[in-house]
Amino acid sequence: MKNKTLTTWITLLFGALGLHRFYLYGSRDAIAWLMPIPTALGVYGFERVAEYGLDDVMSWWLLPLLGFHLAGVCLNAIVYGLMPPERWNLRFNSEAEPEAEAGQTSWLTVFAVIISLMLGTVFLLSALAYSFQRYFEVTV
């Protein structure tokens, strides 16, 4: 039985590494194995900024990649948290009844959705602001 609250929190906390996909789909999920790549590239972008400064062109591409990736992970947590119990159990707990406990929404699920919404907004707007700032600095 896949628990919706646990999945939402795993997605929020460890989604950038793909652990939520391993929890839901198992170790054969190709997307789960690919999810750490944009995270690692974004962290490398931070290292390049620390080493070469803000004028490093490669970091201009890598940092927004991390922001957009983290915003997508937060969006995924929101989708999982807001999924109706019937649909959750039909999709991830097909052997269970539609109103099974694993698909129910609790206050912990709601808190995870709220935190995901706040963090996702910060990540998305930060990535957009950094991208536009670098673009306009180069074109002017």
Side-chain angles (χ1 to χ4, degrees):
M1 298 284 287
K2 308 295 186 204
N3 189 301
K4 180 167 80 169
T5 302
L6 180 61
T7 303
T8 306
W9 278 102
I10 290 173
T11 306
L12 175 63
L13 298 175
F14 305 109
L17 301 174
L19 294 183
H20 66 291
R21 303 235 4 143
F22 285 119
Y23 174 70
L24 290 175
Y25 302 109
S27 63
R28 293 184 169 229
D29 184 37
I31 296 174
W33 290 104
L34 295 175
M35 287 194 74
I37 294 172
T39 305
L41 289 173
V43 171
Y44 178 61
F46 274 110
E47 291 175 0
R48 287 188 65 92
V49 167
E51 187 174 341
Y52 301 114
L54 288 174
D55 292 331
D56 181 44
V57 176
M58 183 177 281
S59 69
W60 297 354
W61 292 97
L62 296 176
L63 288 179
L65 175 68
L66 178 65
F68 293 135
H69 180 65
L70 292 176
V73 166
C74 289
L75 178 63
N76 207 356
I78 293 168
V79 168
Y80 288 148
L82 295 180
M83 192 177 291
E86 301 84 19
R87 187 167 166 216
W88 176 267
N89 287 324
L90 180 66
R91 184 169 178 186
F92 298 111
N93 300 319
S94 58
E95 68 280 352
E97 295 180 19
E99 292 295 326
E101 183 67 29
Q104 296 296 324
T105 302
S106 68
W107 281 106
L108 288 174
T109 314
V110 173
F111 289 138
V113 168
I114 292 169
I115 293 170
S116 296
L117 183 60
M118 291 189 305
L119 289 177
T121 303
V122 168
F123 294 143
L124 181 63
L125 292 178
S126 298
L128 286 172
Y130 185 81
S131 298
F132 286 129
Q133 177 184 355
R134 293 294 157 208
Y135 173 76
F136 288 120
E137 284 178 356
V138 169
T139 57
V140 172

